[in-house]
Amino acid sequence: MRSRLLAALMSVIGLLAVSACGGPGPAPSKIKLGFSAWPGWLPWQVAEERGLFKVNGVDVELQYFDSYTDSLTALSTGAIDANSQTLNDTIASVGSGVQQTIVLVNDTSTGNDQIIARDGITSVTDLKGKKIAVEKGTVDHYLLLLALNRAKLHEGDVQLVSTLTDSAAAAFAAGHVDAVGAFAPHTTTALSRPGSSPVTSSAEFPTLIPDHLVVRTEMAHLRPDLVQRLVNTWFETLAWIEHNPDEAIEIMARRAGVSPLAYRAYQPGTTFLTKQENQDAFGTRTLHYRAVQIADFMVDTGLLYQRPVMDELFDDQFVKAL
């Protein structure tokens, strides 16, 4: 969605969404919340199964997306009210004219986004001229560009095969491409190929792939009380997970379609932010600085035409109220 073609499509989607809405409608009474199979977002499944949304007085219609890209589209078109997604993907949506607001930092990716290569490829430099499957325009395309840039290579130095992340991981596992960009749990599929291993991961870029709870700006304006209860639920869910780790892992692994043992291996690759860390990140404008840094990189690499206005991208009232 951050390639030039997909950015253009998102602009059309934004216009259609505005036209369809015809201005603010009645204040919603519940939140339609989307998420997908990323370890930093699977706590929402715990919140659902343990009844924590109800405990916090918020009516949530939780919607799981097999395709992360579909969740981005759903939020951009107004099919859902909130979604967990990366900062770079949110910047891309805002750049296309969609009004979205970040209200919470779920986590940062510290290893669970990976560029995995076949036997014989041991560094990012070795990827030159190789065939790499990646979901173009999404987070692991962004990771690949970060890695190539650091190795003084460009996108044109590799052969990109654009496909959905789950299909990309399967294609790599079957030996059809030389490398793949994937996030957990799809990394498990990719690493089933004998001799394969990561040549780089988000652990090498620990501040550049933060994940957020993002809401439609209209929702934040019309029902800040519901958004606040949703933010409250997130932190209560993390506390419940901390005190009930085995049961929580069972729930999250089942939703991800992997074994609890495999899921435990993801834990170091996702770093959750505490309440205080959220308040610090919003309060010091660290998030805004990071967004500018990421947006400029996306413009430089062709993922965006120009840096969008992001002065109102972050709303700190909800983490301040915790």
Side-chain angles (χ1 to χ4, degrees), residues 50-162:
R50 299 304 306 172
L52 297 176
F53 293 124
K54 291 181 180 178
V55 167
N56 282 279
V58 56
D59 185 3
V60 171
E61 181 181 322
L62 190 63
Q63 185 171 348
Y64 177 79
F65 290 85
D66 290 312
S67 165
Y68 170 55
T69 303
D70 287 347
S71 76
L72 299 175
T73 303
L75 184 62
S76 294
T77 59
I80 57 176
D81 303 305
N83 191 45
S84 278
Q85 55 193 55
T86 66
L87 178 54
N88 61 295
D89 289 324
T90 305
I91 290 171
S93 295
V94 171
S96 69
V98 178
Q99 293 186 317
Q100 296 182 354
T101 300
I102 292 172
V103 298
L104 166 70
V105 186
N106 297 117
D107 66 276
T108 58
S109 179
T110 50
N112 276 333
D113 287 280
Q114 300 177 357
I115 306 300
I116 299 167
R118 62 168 171 77
D119 186 27
I121 298 176
T122 60
S123 70
V124 174
T125 304
D126 292 340
L127 293 174
K128 187 173 183 179
K130 301 300 190 296
K131 190 178 292 187
I132 306 173
V134 69
E135 188 166 353
K136 196 168 184 180
T138 56
V139 61
D140 289 310
H141 182 203
Y142 168 65
L143 172 63
L144 175 63
L145 293 179
L146 286 172
L148 291 174
N149 181 69
R150 192 171 64 177
K152 302 189 185 308
L153 295 173
H154 303 281
E155 184 173 332
D157 293 322
V158 300
Q159 301 178 55
L160 284 190
V161 178
S162 182

Side-chain angles (χ1 to χ4, degrees), residues 213-253:
L213 174 61
V214 184
V215 302
R216 292 188 301 112
T217 301
E218 184 183 39
M219 170 64 75
H221 289 165
L222 291 177
R223 292 303 306 265
D225 56 323
L226 295 186
V227 175
Q228 185 66 62
R229 291 170 193 167
L230 188 59
V231 171
N232 294 348
T233 301
W234 174 258
F235 288 102
E236 290 198 21
T237 302
L238 293 187
W240 191 91
I241 290 171
E242 183 178 358
H243 290 96
N244 303 274
D246 293 338
E247 186 176 351
I249 286 174
E250 288 279 351
I251 293 171
M252 293 186 289

